[in-house]
Amino acid sequence: MKKIQLLVALLWCSAFAFGQNKLAQDRNAIKSLAGFYKVTFNYAETFSPDDDYKFHDRHRSSAKEIAIIVEDSPKKIVIQHLLVMRGDSMIIKHWREDWTYEDPKILAFDKEDTWKNVTLKPEEYQGKWTQKVFQVDDSPRYQAIGSWVHVDGRSQWLSYSDSPLPRREHTERNDYNVLNRRNFVYLTPTGWMFEQDNKKIVRTPGAKDKLIAQEKGLEEFVKTDPKSFGYAQEWWKKNEGFWKDARDIWDNVFASNATIKLAPKVDNKLLYERFFAANAQSVKENWTSAKNKEEITKIINAYLVKG
C-alpha cells in the first residue's frame, strides 16, 4: 500500500513540475514577442465560393515597430506596439496585446462595433492563454484563446476568433462585416511570425454566416538594431502614463457591461482621434492621473452606445 501511495505522490509531483515548467515556457515565448522589429505585412485573397467574385488587390507594406512589455505578472503579460516612422522621428501608438492565463471570460466580437462578454467552461480555458488584441485607442478588437505548444525546439500558439474588418479594408469595403480568423503565432530564429487564414463573412441576424472570400496573411517580425529606436523609447516614457490610465478605464467598462457597442463617429470624429488629441494635451499640460481618467471617461461615454 505504501508503495502505491509513494508512486501516486511521485506521479503528482512530476505532473506538477511539468505544469510549472510548461507555464514558464509559455511565459518566455510570449515575452519573446517584445523587442525591436522590421515588420512586413502581406495579405492575399485566395478563394471565393462565388465564381463571379472579383478578388481584391494584394496588400503589401512594411514598417519599423517596437513592442514593449508594460505589465508582467505570473499570469498576465501586456505588450504595447509602437509604429516608428520617418526614421525615428514620428511615433504612432499602434495595437496592444494582453496575454492572460486561464482567463474564464472573453470579449467576443459579434458584428458592427459590438462585443459580448462570454463566460467559458473550465475545459475551454484550463492550461490555455487568451490573447486580447486592442485598437490604437485601446478599444477592443478581438480575443482568442489557445494553447502554447513547445516541441522540437519550436514554440507556437493557435487560435480562432471573429474580429472587425482590418484597418487596411475598414474604410474601403462594405461587402462583409466579420473577419473570422485562424491566428497562428510562432517564434522564428530571427523573431516571430503571425500567420493568418481569414474568412471574410457577411453576418446578419437570424441567418447563417455567408462566406464571400478567404485570405492568407503573413506578418513577419524580424529583429533589428535597437539603436534606431531611441526617440520611440523616450516618447513612450512621456506618454505611457496616459495610456496606463486609459487601460484602467477601459477595464472598468469591459467589466461592467455585458455588451459593448461603440458608435463609429461622434461629431464627425473617430474615437482614436479623440484619444490621440487628449493624449497630446495631457503631455503638454502635464495632467494628473485623475485628470486623465476624467477626460478618458468622458470620451468613452460619448461613444458607448447604451441599451
Side-chain angles (χ1 to χ4, degrees), residues 124-155:
E124 293 178 309
Y125 64 80
Q126 287 176 346
K128 299 179 181 180
W129 286 85
T130 298
Q131 185 200 39
K132 306 175 182 181
V133 174
F134 299 87
Q135 313 265 26
V136 297
D137 47 32
D138 284 339
S139 62
R141 183 154 183 76
Y142 65 86
Q143 295 187 17
I145 188 165
S147 299
W148 276 93
V149 177
H150 313 282
V151 61
D152 295 335
R154 295 174 295 169
S155 294

Side-chain angles (χ1 to χ4, degrees), residues 31-279:
K31 292 173 71 171
S32 294
L33 305 179
F36 307 88
Y37 296 103
K38 172 70 178 295
V39 191
T40 54
F41 306 90
N42 291 284
Y43 290 90
E45 292 187 336
T46 58
F47 168 78
S48 174
D50 182 356
D51 291 338
D52 296 325
Y53 178 81
K54 184 178 179 180
F55 289 94
H56 287 246
D57 292 340
R58 295 178 178 181
H59 173 88
R60 294 187 180 94
S61 62
S62 62
K64 286 173 58 181
E65 191 161 294
I66 179 173
I68 304 168
I69 296 176
V70 297
E71 184 179 339
D72 182 7
S73 57
K75 294 186 177 182
K76 184 177 182 181
I77 300 169
V78 178
I79 303 175
Q80 176 63 60
H81 293 251
L82 305 176
L83 278 177
V84 180
M85 305 174 71
R86 298 177 184 171
D88 185 28
S89 62
M90 180 179 178
I91 309 302
I92 297 178
K93 180 185 173 295
H94 207 199
W95 62 294
R96 188 182 105 231
E97 51 183 322
D98 291 11
W99 291 85
T100 53
Y101 184 65
E102 294 188 335
D103 197 333
K105 291 186 176 182
I106 62 171
L107 196 61
F109 179 70
D110 181 25
K111 61 183 184 303
E112 277 80 55
D113 299 305
T114 303
W115 294 258
K116 296 180 178 180
N117 267 307
V118 176
T119 300
L120 303 174
K121 298 176 183 178
E123 60 267 26
E124 293 178 309
Y125 64 80
Q126 287 176 346
K128 299 179 181 180
W129 286 85
T130 298
Q131 185 200 39
K132 306 175 182 181
V133 174
F134 299 87
Q135 313 265 26
V136 297
D137 47 32
D138 284 339
S139 62
R141 183 154 183 76
Y142 65 86
Q143 295 187 17
I145 188 165
S147 299
W148 276 93
V149 177
H150 313 282
V151 61
D152 295 335
R154 295 174 295 169
S155 294
Q156 55 196 43
W157 178 84
L158 178 66
S159 71
Y160 299 83
S161 68
D162 290 340
S163 80
L165 272 64
R167 283 292 171 191
R168 58 192 157 82
E169 293 192 334
H170 184 75
T171 58
E172 298 178 2
R173 299 182 63 169
N174 58 10
D175 57 335
Y176 75 101
N177 59 353
V178 176
L179 191 71
N180 177 257
R181 319 171 63 102
R182 175 188 179 273
N183 297 328
F184 187 31
V185 174
Y186 53 93
L187 305 187
T188 68
T190 58
W192 59 284
M193 179 73 81
F194 181 19
E195 185 173 338
Q196 303 166 47
D197 292 294
N198 299 325
K199 295 179 180 179
K200 298 179 179 182
I201 300 290
V202 176
R203 179 170 295 166
T204 54
K208 184 179 179 180
D209 285 357
K210 179 183 177 182
L211 171 67
I212 68 163
Q214 292 180 221
E215 173 188 73
K216 187 71 179 181
L218 296 171
E219 296 185 9
E220 185 175 14
F221 290 72
V222 177
K223 293 178 182 176
T224 190
D225 189 356
K227 293 179 182 178
S228 62
F229 292 84
Y231 177 71
Q233 295 177 79
E234 289 301 317
W235 184 92
W236 181 245
K237 288 179 182 178
K238 295 177 182 178
N239 291 270
E240 63 179 329
F242 177 88
W243 293 106
K244 168 63 170 64
D245 293 332
R247 294 196 299 273
D248 289 345
I249 297 300
W250 274 119
D251 284 346
N252 291 336
V253 172
F254 301 149
S256 57
N257 291 273
T259 299
I260 305 291
K261 183 174 178 60
L262 297 172
K265 286 187 176 182
V266 173
D267 296 330
N268 206 34
K269 286 187 176 294
L270 297 167
L271 179 60
Y272 82 86
E273 293 177 315
R274 294 282 301 276
F275 260 93
F276 282 8
N279 177 203

